[in-house]
């Protein structure tokens, strides 16, 4: 069996966070989450089916990928290989067009692009929902990058994960928000998300209380996007993010992803809000702050952030489209 396909997928940022897995093997989350897929921050991946049953080869940004990347990739490659009834090895070449050091998770776009390209190379005709399930096993948040615009990941209840996949709720052009990532520190996070989630679940007294807030926040966030109400969306997104960080910080030993520089940016965003600027922030498992605003206020927000000595650079993004096969 031989075949080759290329696919592209975009990163996403959660507006309502997930932090906790009911099954870390299948990446089944304890609760749902809600994100926006970002144009411009993409991974392009080519998968070639090799005509033998040797080892998979993975080249990431022109270099042989490390063991951690290969391990996540295999969680997508192996099930698809089984489905196609082959033992052939794959050659994978993947490139992120992310600005270096942006601190944006490339695993979501990477595993989503990998799922689409691998299925294509194997000639498997899987719909986006099925590919969302496949990508999820590689990296939880990747299931959301199968779709464009504003996307909900259903937690599901089934043990095999059949009902845990992403669903597009609003198209990218439903609401033209702008995202400015304030990069305050480059580099890799100290504790990866899977380990951080397990540690939080096992040791933080604030984890269950955080999870208890998620269902209500999902309803509120979807209503805010439906009504294009930035103030309402900002309230949900900020509390979801900070309650997730509260749960992390309640772990023992504490998981602290935010840095002093992060708080400088958050304080600046709150100052802009107090001055009537439509803007809000969210932060994930790292120190960089993602700032949301409107096209009209974008320049004001950018100028205020660039004024902060802690900000090394800004990365701009906006709602974008679904993962797609491009070749
Ligand atoms: C804080 O789903 O990327 O960004 O499954 O270990 O790859 P792995 O983790 P991942 O974790 C994302 C966590 C988060 C919140 C979110 O995106 O909802």
């Amino acid at each position: 069996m031989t075949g080759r396909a290329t696919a592209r997928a975009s990163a996403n940022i959660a507006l309502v966070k997930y932090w906790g897995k009911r099954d870390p093997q299948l990446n089944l989350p304890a609760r749902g989450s809600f994100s926006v897929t970002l144009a411009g921050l993409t991974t392009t991946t080519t998968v070639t089916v090799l005509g033998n049953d040797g080892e998979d080869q993975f080249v990431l940004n022109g270099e042989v990928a490390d063991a951690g990347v290969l391990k996540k990739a295999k969680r997508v490659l192996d099930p698809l290989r089984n489905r196609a009834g082959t033992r052939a090895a794959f050659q994978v070449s993947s490139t992120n067009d992310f600005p270096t050091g942006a601190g944006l998770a490339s695993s979501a776009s990477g595993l989503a692009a990998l799922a689409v390209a691998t299925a294509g190379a194997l000639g498997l005709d899987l719909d986006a929902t099925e590919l969302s399930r496949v990508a999820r096993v590689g990296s939880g948040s990747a299931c959301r990058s199968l779709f464009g615009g504003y996307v909900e990941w259903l937690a599901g209840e089934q043990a095999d994960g059949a009902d845990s996949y992403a669903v597009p709720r609003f198209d990218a052009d439903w609401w033209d928000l702008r995202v400015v990532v304030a990069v305050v520190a480059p580099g890799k996070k100290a504790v990866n998300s899977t380990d951080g989630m397990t540690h939080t679940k096992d040791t933080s007294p604030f984890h269950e209380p955080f999870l208890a807030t998620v269902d209500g926040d999902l309803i509120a966030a979807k209503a805010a996007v439906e009504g294009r109400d930035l103030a309402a969306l900002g309230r949900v997104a900020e509390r979801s993010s900070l309650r997730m960080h509260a749960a992390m910080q309640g772990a023992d030993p504490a998981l602290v992803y935010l840095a002093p520089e992060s708080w400088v940016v958050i304080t600046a965003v709150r100052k802009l809000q107090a001055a009537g600027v439509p803007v809000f922030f969210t932060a994930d498992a790292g120190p960089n702050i993602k700032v949301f605003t409107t096209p009209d206020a974008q320049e004001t927000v950018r100028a205020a952030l660039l004024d902060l000595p802690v900000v090394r650079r800004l990365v701009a993004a906006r709602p974008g489209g679904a993962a797609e096969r491009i070749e």
Side-chain angles (χ1 to χ4, degrees):
M1 172 184 261
T2 54
R4 172 199 285 254
T6 298
R8 186 166 52 207
S10 301
N12 71 74
I13 294 177
L15 294 160
V16 177
K17 305 297 185 189
Y18 107 91
W19 192 256
K21 299 183 181 187
R22 63 185 165 91
D23 180 340
Q25 290 308 312
L26 292 173
N27 280 339
L28 301 177
R31 291 292 186 284
S33 54
F34 184 59
S35 60
V36 57
T37 300
L38 298 177
L41 306 173
T42 61
T43 301
T44 304
T45 299
T46 299
V47 174
T48 308
V49 183
L50 302 172
N52 59 40
D53 57 2
E55 291 291 311
D56 295 327
Q57 299 159 24
F58 198 123
V59 174
L60 178 59
N61 295 326
E63 288 175 22
V64 176
D66 64 33
V69 171
L70 200 58
K71 195 174 151 202
K72 279 195 165 187
K74 277 195 178 293
R75 293 163 63 129
V76 166
L77 299 176
D78 289 343
L80 290 175
R81 195 172 2 235
N82 288 341
R83 269 171 111 124
T86 176
R87 295 181 58 200
F90 298 109
Q91 184 180 50
V92 182
S93 172
S94 190
T95 317
N96 295 327
D97 74 353
F98 291 19
T100 43
L104 284 153
S106 57
S107 68
S109 55
L111 276 302
L114 184 67
V116 176
T118 308
L122 288 168
L124 293 170
D125 187 19
L126 306 181
D127 66 15
T129 302
E130 190 51 40
L131 289 167
S132 176
R133 288 193 197 91
V134 171
R136 187 204 72 224
V137 181
S139 171
S141 58
C143 75
R144 300 186 305 231
S145 281
L146 258 297
F147 299 98
Y150 301 81
V151 179
E152 181 172 4
W153 174 11
L154 307 176
E157 290 174 350
Q158 294 176 28
D160 65 356
D163 56 354
S164 184
Y165 51 84
V167 180
R169 295 298 187 203
F170 304 91
D171 288 345
D173 56 12
W174 171 252
W175 192 12
D176 186 21
L177 286 181
R178 295 303 155 92
V179 181
V180 183
V181 181
V183 179
V184 298
K188 276 186 135 176
K189 54 190 165 198
V191 180
N192 73 46
S193 294
T194 300
D195 293 347
M197 288 184 207
T198 303
H199 179 59
T200 306
K201 183 181 178 192
D202 290 348
T203 66
S204 175
F206 306 146
H207 190 239
E208 276 300 328
F210 160 68
L211 293 179
T213 66
V214 176
D215 288 350
D217 281 352
L218 285 170
I219 293 168
K222 285 185 283 184
V225 173
E226 178 158 36
R228 300 192 184 97
D229 184 339
L230 189 124
L233 184 61
R235 276 189 65 177
V236 186
E238 291 186 359
R239 71 178 182 242
S240 177
S241 177
L242 290 181
R243 285 171 177 170
M244 175 184 75
H245 283 278
M248 295 160 162
Q249 289 173 27
D252 184 17
L255 266 178
V256 182
Y257 288 107
L258 297 175
E261 293 84 354
S262 315
W263 291 104
V264 173
V265 176
I266 290 171
T267 304
V269 170
R270 302 196 100 179
K271 220 169 130 186
L272 286 165
Q273 287 169 340
V277 179
V279 62
F280 67 84
F281 66 87
T282 183
D284 295 292
N288 297 323
I289 303 297
K290 290 107 183 195
V291 180
F292 284 71
T293 186
T294 61
D296 285 351
Q298 190 180 10
E299 273 319 308
T300 305
V301 169
R302 288 180 66 90
L305 294 175
L306 280 172
D307 243 11
L308 303 172
V310 298
V311 172
R312 298 183 185 210
R313 60 182 301 195
L314 301 179
V315 177
R318 63 176 75 182
E324 57 183 355
R325 190 167 165 187
I326 54 176
E327 201 180 90

